[in-house]
Each structure stands twice: as C-alpha cells, then as structure tokens.
Amino acid sequence: MTHSSRHRAPRRELLSPRARTVVLEFLITAGILFLIVTTSRWIFAPDAPLGSVLKGRAAFVALGIFFGVVNTAIIHYSMSRKTAGHMNPSVSIGLWLLRVFPGRDVLPFCVAQMTGAVAGVGLARLVWGGHVGLPQVGWAAVAPQPGWGFWGVLTAETVGQLICMTLVAALLIRPRWEWLIPGVVGLCITGFIMILGPLSGGSVNPARQFGPALWAGNFGFLTAYLIGPVLGAALAAGLAAALRPPVEPPAAGGRGEHTLGPVEDMVHPVVEAAVCPDTIPPELFRERPAHDDPYRI
C-alpha cells in the first residue's frame, strides 16, 4: 500500500447536508404528486380499469387508505433517517412555529414543495399523455361540491390542518410518543381524503393543489386551498403555546438558567434529541453560537 493510498483526501460532497434535504424534499413532493395524478388517471378516466370497481365514495375511501399508508411510510423513513418528508408547506411553517424547524429553511422547503408539485404533475403528463387533462381527471385538482363557497372551503382546510398539527404538537411533548407521529399523520390524511374529499376537496396541502391547478389553469378556490392549511398550522402552534403550563421560575439562589418560552419549552428537549420530523440533520442544531438563532428567518 502506498503512502498516498493510506492518506487519501476526504471526498468533497457536491451538496451540503441542508441542500440535500431541500433537493430530497423536491423529489419526494414530486413523487407524491405523480402518484396522485396517476391514481386519478386510472380511477376516473373513461377507460380506467379501476373506474368500474371504485365508484363514488368508494374511490375516495381507496385513495384515502392508499395515500395514508404512503405518507405514513415516507414520514416514518424521514424521522428515522432525518431526511426530508414534509411534502406540505403548511407543515414546514407549522413546525417552525412550534420551534422544531429552523426558520432559515422554511422558504427553501416551501419553494421545493411547490415546484416539486408542479414537476410531479408534469411528469405524469409525460407518462400518461392527454388522459390526465380529461375533464373526469382534471389534472387531479380538487374542487368542492356545488354549494360550497370560499369561506366554507377555507374553514374546512383550516380545521383539517388545525386538528393534524395539534395532534403532532401533543406527541412532540413527550419523545417516547414520537414514533406515533407517522401513523397519526397518515390517519389524518386518510380522513381528509375520505371525509373532506367528496365535500370540500380535502387538499389540506397548498402544494398538493397548487401543482394540478397550475397545469389545469383552474384557479377557483385556489386561495382558500393555499391559505387554509397555513392558517390551521398557525392556530395549532398558538393553541399548543396557550395550553402549555407556565414555566416555573428558578428557585431563589439558583443558577439562573435561561427560561424558555411556552412553545420553545414544550419542544426544546425534542429538538436536542433530534427525534422530531424536522428533516434537518441533528448536528446542525448543536454547538451554535449564542447569537445564531436557527429559528430566525
């Protein structure tokens, strides 16, 4: 063995860990939207073989179960490997408000999710051709039933994400419960599709509706589908802060440790243990300068 072979220079990575998580977030979101359009094509298109079996509400039940399982698997993998896996801008914003996701990464993740959604629908168009644009498929864009107005759709999207993010916040309080998060989120997604799907559309994900709506040129209710989930995530973070018991002041003569705010105190141990689905490698949270706040945008 030569001297040079014993002392090889370390291989330079093309992308930093943070950049890799953003790229992976783009790819996973694109993959999910490709699956959404693909399943819509093979269920709702006139020549779809599954259309004769899955009719009406049965189609939403099947889609809900399928995507609940898929999202559970992705989130479980992302939590165990500390990789990407939000697939939803309102989730990234909600986790930031819960102080388990760095503020500086919110915008890159949201951009990756929105552009990934557009790319995923475009890939489905390349694979399945004009079938994805048929009226019965409609690029897989969701829409409310007649009689639903803007405020009704906004309320449904807000309440849906409020419930989901509140459950996530409750599980983040105790690290021993964090393994339940993938299943709980998967069940929420199943419920959104099965219950809200036939009524208000049941997107509860700005990226999920943005990609199909952009390709379809159908922007009806798009504002409600974009704003509602973000508003629900923000309300969940506020509710988590309001319900958290006040922090006990340090005892007299104590060392005067730093006292955390309500939400920060709730999730700070989770951040340090890096068991939350924050998709950022845990080493990026550790040994930061005191002036370097990872939650600041």
Side-chain angles (χ1 to χ4, degrees), residues 247-285:
V247 179
E248 291 290 338
R255 292 178 298 173
E257 292 89 345
H258 169 63
T259 302
L260 303 176
V263 180
E264 184 182 1
D265 178 66
M266 178 184 70
V267 299
H268 187 267
V270 181
V271 173
E272 291 299 322
V275 296
C276 63
D278 55 30
T279 78
I280 296 297
E283 62 269 15
L284 297 182
F285 284 113

Side-chain angles (χ1 to χ4, degrees), residues 9 25 44 59 70 97 101 131 136 140-141 158 184 189 193 204 216 219-220 251 255 264-265:
E25 186 74 8
F44 299 112
V70 169
L97 293 174
F101 186 67
H131 290 89
Q136 297 89 337
T158 300
V184 168
I189 292 173
I193 297 174
V204 198
F219 303 107
R255 292 178 298 173
E264 184 182 1
D265 178 66

Side-chain angles (χ1 to χ4, degrees), residues 11-109:
R11 185 177 63 179
R12 293 187 60 184
E13 297 290 344
L14 183 62
L15 297 174
S16 67
R18 177 171 279 109
R20 288 198 298 270
T21 60
V22 173
V23 171
L24 190 54
E25 186 74 8
F26 169 88
L27 294 175
I28 294 177
T29 307
I32 281 290
L33 265 295
F34 175 80
L35 278 179
I36 290 172
V37 179
T38 297
T39 53
S40 297
R41 182 262 179 270
W42 289 107
I43 291 177
F44 299 112
D47 65 339
L50 296 176
S52 59
V53 179
L54 300 175
K55 296 181 179 180
R57 188 170 290 273
F60 289 97
V61 171
L63 288 170
I65 294 173
F66 175 72
F67 283 103
V69 171
V70 169
N71 279 271
T72 297
I74 292 174
I75 297 170
H76 173 76
Y77 178 86
S78 73
M79 290 179 64
S80 62
R81 298 298 183 91
K82 305 300 180 293
T83 58
H86 294 177
M87 302 168 285
N88 187 332
S90 64
V91 170
S92 299
I93 294 171
L95 292 177
W96 165 58
L97 293 174
L98 287 170
R99 299 185 70 81
V100 295
F101 186 67
R104 70 191 66 179
D105 294 309
V106 172
L107 181 59
F109 264 63

